[in-house]
Amino acid sequence: MSDDVGASLRSLRKQRGISQRELAKLCGVTHSSLSLIEQGKVSPSVSSLKKILNAFSMSVGDFFTMDLDSQEQIFYSADDLVDIASGDISFKLVGANRPNRALAFMVERYLPGADTGQAMITHYGEEAGFVVEGEIEIIVGSTARRLGPGESYYFKTSVPHRFRNIGDAPCKIISCATPGKAF
């Protein structure tokens, strides 16, 4: 067990980019004690483990349930992004292969004239976005606004909404939404 605790602490420390000496100073445990724990030569007391984990703002329970060797994909190339839209609209979803993701992070592209449709969209959650290039008209409830580069939005998606590119150039948006079920 002490080998597992030590190896996990070492992995966590390295993952966070902290040296042994820095961690020792942060948590009030001697550098030599920390080194022995990480090597699996000494088992830390519960009190010492709590001190060390406080430096990471982590509970003992979280420490013993964390998965440092997660098999989930972490990094995505442009080719890995899955387009979940079609036609004049492109929604390139980051992490489409994560079935239990807590957010939908997308690169959206609307060609001139593209429209999410006459029927307004509603679903549970929230959505935020930043216009990178071009212009987009966003209608949320009874409020409409045309946004350009550098402008952004944030709204509850339970309010009916619609996106339209009424400009002459493609529009690119970086967005994030809480994925949810439609009403």
Side-chain angles (χ1 to χ4, degrees):
M1 175 91 174
S2 64
D3 287 347
D4 294 335
V5 170
S8 293
L9 276 173
R10 182 176 48 253
S11 292
L12 179 62
R13 178 181 58 75
K14 288 182 175 185
Q15 186 181 56
R16 303 283 175 98
I18 299 173
S19 71
Q20 271 188 351
R21 290 194 189 282
E22 283 179 280
L23 181 56
K25 285 179 186 175
L26 287 170
C27 64
V29 173
T30 66
H31 176 252
S32 59
S33 294
L34 187 58
S35 177
L36 290 172
I37 292 168
E38 284 190 4
Q39 293 174 42
K41 293 181 179 178
V42 171
S43 232
S45 66
V46 173
S47 170
S48 293
L49 185 58
K50 280 184 179 180
K51 282 183 183 179
I52 295 167
L53 295 176
N54 280 341
F56 297 113
S57 299
M58 179 180 279
S59 72
V60 174
D62 287 343
F63 175 75
F64 283 107
T65 59
M66 72 179 174
D67 182 9
L68 291 174
D69 299 319
S70 174
Q71 297 301 312
E72 292 181 329
Q73 185 175 355
I74 297 171
F75 303 104
Y76 296 85
S77 69
D79 293 337
D80 292 331
L81 304 185
V82 175
D83 195 344
I84 59 172
S86 62
D88 291 345
I89 299 174
S90 170
F91 293 161
K92 299 259 181 137
L93 179 62
V94 177
N97 59 343
R98 291 175 167 260
N100 297 315
R101 67 183 176 279
L103 54 90
F105 185 79
M106 296 183 290
V107 178
E108 301 181 25
R109 183 168 296 278
Y110 297 83
L111 294 178
D115 189 331
T116 56
Q118 291 283 335
M120 303 276 268
I121 304 164
T122 57
H123 51 96
Y124 293 104
E126 297 180 325
E127 183 172 336
F130 177 85
V131 179
V132 177
E133 59 189 42
E135 292 183 322
I136 193 84
E137 179 186 58
I138 303 174
I139 303 163
V140 181
S142 60
T143 304
R145 178 147 175 207
R146 191 174 190 161
L147 300 176
E151 295 183 295
S152 54
Y153 59 90
Y154 191 115
F155 61 89
K156 290 187 182 295
T157 55
S158 57
V159 178
H161 54 282
R162 176 182 183 188
F163 289 71
R164 298 188 313 163
N165 182 346
I166 54 178
D168 297 331
C171 177
K172 181 178 181 182
I173 297 172
I174 304 298
S175 72
C176 189
T178 49
K181 298 176 183 174
F183 291 112

